[in-house]
């Protein structure tokens, strides 16, 4: 990932991140940001062009609303640059007892959204 120095644009900063999860039908994505802060959420227009997949490296405009970080105008940098990241994070969470390894929730499962906790509320640190 790039260093923390970022160019600012009106209302936010430019950021790099790795896509952790996508729902192409709903045009949504969750992105792990290069600054290792809270995750960023992409909410594109319904029926939009979210061609991102888990493991893609993207650049985007980060806008922090105070409650959530939003990824605007994501641009693909490298397709599948981190293909195992999601699986490695899941393994680390399972080892720590933070998540159960036996209950994956696939994208487009039709289940309601989970409660998202900011990283600063998690007391343990994982090293994959």
């Amino acid at each position: 990932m790039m260093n923390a120095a970022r160019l600012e644009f009106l209302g936010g900063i430019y950021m790099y991140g790795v896509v952790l999860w996508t729902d192409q039908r709903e045009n949504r994505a969750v992105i792990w940001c290069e600054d290792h802060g809270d995750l960023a959420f992409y909410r594109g227009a319904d029926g939009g062009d979210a061609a991102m997949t888990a493991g893609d490296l993207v650049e985007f405009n980060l806008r922090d609303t105070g409650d959530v970080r939003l990824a605007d105008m994501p641009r693909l940098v490298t397709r599948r640059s981190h293909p195992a990241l999601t699986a490695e994070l899941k393994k680390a969470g399972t080892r720590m007892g933070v998540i159960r390894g036996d209950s994956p929730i696939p994208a487009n499962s039709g289940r309601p959204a989970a409660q998202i906790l900011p990283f600063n509320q998690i007391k343990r640190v994982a090293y994959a």
Side-chain angles (χ1 to χ4, degrees), residues 84-96:
L85 181 60
T86 301
E88 291 300 322
L89 289 171
K90 183 178 176 184
K91 279 192 237 175
T94 301
R95 280 194 308 269
M96 293 173 49

Side-chain angles (χ1 to χ4, degrees), residues 2-96:
M2 303 294 287
N3 64 25
R6 296 269 117 229
L7 295 173
E8 293 191 26
F9 69 94
L10 184 61
I13 59 173
Y14 293 108
M15 181 76 66
Y16 285 91
V18 177
V19 177
L20 296 177
W21 174 88
T22 63
D23 183 337
Q24 292 183 352
R25 183 181 60 207
E26 296 292 324
N27 203 16
R28 306 288 189 256
V30 176
I31 303 170
W32 189 4
C33 301
E34 69 177 306
D35 66 357
H36 300 281
D38 290 339
L39 300 174
F41 299 90
Y42 172 67
R43 299 178 184 145
D46 290 339
D49 60 354
M52 297 179 284
T53 60
D56 287 353
L57 177 64
V58 294
E59 180 184 30
F60 54 94
N61 302 344
L62 179 69
R63 192 166 36 97
D64 193 337
T65 68
D67 294 327
V68 66
R69 293 170 74 168
L70 299 174
D72 294 329
M73 298 174 51
R75 298 162 296 280
L76 181 66
V77 175
T78 307
R79 180 154 309 282
R80 306 282 296 151
S81 67
H82 296 78
L85 181 60
T86 301
E88 291 300 322
L89 289 171
K90 183 178 176 184
K91 279 192 237 175
T94 301
R95 280 194 308 269
M96 293 173 49

